[in-house]
Amino acid sequence: KAAEIIYSRTIELYNNCFALAQESDSIINSMPLYKSAFLRKAGEDTVKLQGKILVGQIRIGRETYGGSEDWLRYTSLASTEIRNRIDDIDNANNVVSIKSLSDVQKIQEDLRMTFVPVCLWGIPDLDDETPLLRNKLYSIVASAGVGKTMLCIHTVVRVLRAGYRVLFMYSENTEAQVWAYIIVNYVWQEYGKFITPDMVKNPDDYGDEISKVIRMSIMSTMESGNINLREAYHYDSLSEELVADYNRIKFDVLVVDHSLALLEGPRSTKKENIDKLSVCLRNFKRNYPVCVLVTSHPSSEARYYLQRDQDVPKDVPTTRESQTLEAESDMCIILRENETLRLQNLIQIEVHKRRARPISYKITMKKFFDVCGFVYDES
């Protein structure tokens, strides 16, 4: 009986919707009006709910909101949801007709601004897709302690030395630790000197030569204003936070270290959080001329092959908790090591996914763990 009632109501609703159908060509012209009506209605309802939350308690879906802190949480969540709905509408109905020379010129200009190299990031220069490119999302997968953060810091310094701006979300480390290792790697890349974070902390204790290169590196990094450190974003409001930071900083490279280290909302599962992160980063790198690097632990399936020192099959998801991150990435690389590699300070890069020409072989690089350094040597 319940099934019959649901079926009857479904058919009735379908018939009502079908009666409202319009031709696609005519509906596109009405989208701005529909968007405006949606924003007005959503805004009115949201403001009413915010008032109720401030003065009492209200249940919305599975959540109960009450008080100023919950008001702030709901406001952030509602803003994100409305922005996502609008993005969905814009993306689904973004029809471009190329009918004039100005249309062609605009597309040509967009093309020139897309996939522009930022710098080489230290892995071998294989082809035109090897440099860090704007409007690209790269995921770096490795087990704990193998070198995800090291590779990010090494890459960040290459970006800084090329004169570009970086925003680094460090999460599980501290601001001071990340800063120290950036300077350590900068000294190594710029001057060929091996120093430690303790030397950065107390440069005057290690002689004039070491003190000089440390201070020069600090001044060079500071005066450029190109390094920006961020503790953690929120999964629920990442889109708004990224756009706000970009408008303020205009960074060229974003590093998210790592995918499970953002601040969680209540009742969200890890998979839901990674899904939100993945979609947000995809939209962000598409809408802004930014290269995005995000690190992830391996999935349980990928870890099975890594522990046995076997190639990870291409149909096996690699990113932890959700394969959406890998699916949205333009390139997914796996950092891997075994006992033989570890004894020689070597690390292997396996390109698991690449939208450009596939790379079927592993790339072996020398790893200088103490300075977060990587070197490729053909010999």
Side-chain angles (χ1 to χ4, degrees), residues 245-315:
D245 282 347
Y246 181 81
N247 289 335
R248 180 171 55 89
I249 300 171
K250 294 293 189 293
F251 49 89
D252 303 284
V253 174
L254 168 68
V255 178
V256 177
D257 186 31
H258 55 86
S259 62
L260 281 170
L262 282 73
L263 301 176
E264 299 184 28
R267 297 182 181 273
S268 296
T269 67
K270 290 181 179 180
K271 182 182 184 308
E272 289 172 340
N273 286 334
I274 303 299
D275 289 346
K276 292 176 189 175
L277 171 71
S278 306
V279 173
C280 177
L281 293 179
R282 177 202 66 193
N283 292 335
F284 181 73
K285 62 92 177 179
R286 182 178 60 194
N287 296 328
Y288 294 87
V290 174
C291 167
V292 180
L293 279 73
V294 55
T295 64
S296 170
H297 289 108
S299 65
S300 57
E301 299 95 326
R303 191 164 58 249
Y304 171 87
Y305 292 96
L306 292 173
Q307 289 173 345
R308 287 158 180 78
D309 199 23
Q310 299 174 358
D311 293 349
V312 181
K314 297 299 182 184
D315 59 346

Side-chain angles (χ1 to χ4, degrees), residues 108-260:
Q108 287 290 108
E109 181 61 27
D110 291 342
L111 181 61
R112 281 190 287 269
M113 295 298 294
T114 303
F115 308 139
V116 176
V118 177
C119 69
L120 293 174
W121 66 331
I123 65 175
D125 189 10
L126 305 171
D127 53 30
D128 292 341
E129 295 286 335
T130 302
L132 286 176
L133 299 174
R134 299 179 190 273
N135 306 105
K136 292 280 190 178
L137 172 58
Y138 301 85
S139 54
I140 302 169
V141 178
S143 299
V146 172
K148 298 186 298 296
T149 302
M150 286 174 52
L151 182 59
C152 286
I153 289 175
H154 177 82
T155 304
V156 161
V157 172
R158 294 185 71 93
V159 172
L160 295 175
R161 293 177 67 225
Y164 294 101
R165 189 163 292 179
V166 174
L167 177 59
F168 193 114
M169 193 205 86
Y170 52 85
S171 61
E172 291 189 340
N173 294 295
T174 67
E175 184 180 284
Q177 287 174 324
V178 174
W179 166 253
Y181 273 113
I182 287 175
I183 297 302
V184 164
N185 188 267
Y186 191 99
V187 169
W188 177 71
Q189 289 196 39
E190 187 74 15
Y191 302 103
K193 303 290 185 183
F194 285 80
I195 66 170
T196 66
D198 191 62
M199 293 179 181
V200 178
K201 182 170 62 175
N202 302 297
D204 293 335
D205 296 345
Y206 296 93
D208 291 343
E209 183 181 5
I210 293 298
S211 175
K212 182 179 179 180
V213 296
I214 291 175
R215 293 188 184 282
M216 289 173 61
S217 300
I218 291 175
M219 289 300 295
S220 177
T221 306
M222 179 191 71
E223 290 176 352
S224 71
N226 286 341
I227 180 66
N228 302 273
L229 304 178
R230 167 92 184 216
E231 183 174 2
Y233 285 106
H234 297 75
Y235 288 108
D236 289 336
S237 56
L238 177 59
S239 178
E240 287 76 14
E241 292 177 289
L242 279 178
V243 171
D245 282 347
Y246 181 81
N247 289 335
R248 180 171 55 89
I249 300 171
K250 294 293 189 293
F251 49 89
D252 303 284
V253 174
L254 168 68
V255 178
V256 177
D257 186 31
H258 55 86
S259 62
L260 281 170

Side-chain angles (χ1 to χ4, degrees), residues 40-109:
R40 184 171 62 252
K41 177 62 175 173
E44 291 173 355
D45 290 350
T46 301
V47 169
K48 292 177 183 177
L49 290 173
Q50 286 175 325
K52 294 179 180 179
I53 292 171
L54 282 171
V55 299
Q57 277 194 341
I58 184 172
R59 186 173 180 83
I60 304 173
R62 294 180 298 175
E63 295 290 326
T64 299
Y65 297 86
S68 57
E69 290 189 5
D70 281 353
W71 167 80
L72 182 61
R73 179 164 62 90
Y74 169 76
T75 301
S76 174
L77 180 62
S79 176
T80 301
E81 290 292 334
I82 292 172
R83 183 70 262 167
N84 290 341
R85 298 281 183 92
I86 294 298
D87 287 343
D88 289 342
I89 293 171
D90 290 342
N91 294 335
N93 297 280
N94 191 16
V95 177
V96 178
S97 298
I98 304 174
K99 298 179 180 179
S100 66
L101 182 59
S102 61
D103 296 331
V104 174
Q105 290 173 337
K106 182 180 183 305
I107 289 183
Q108 287 290 108
E109 181 61 27

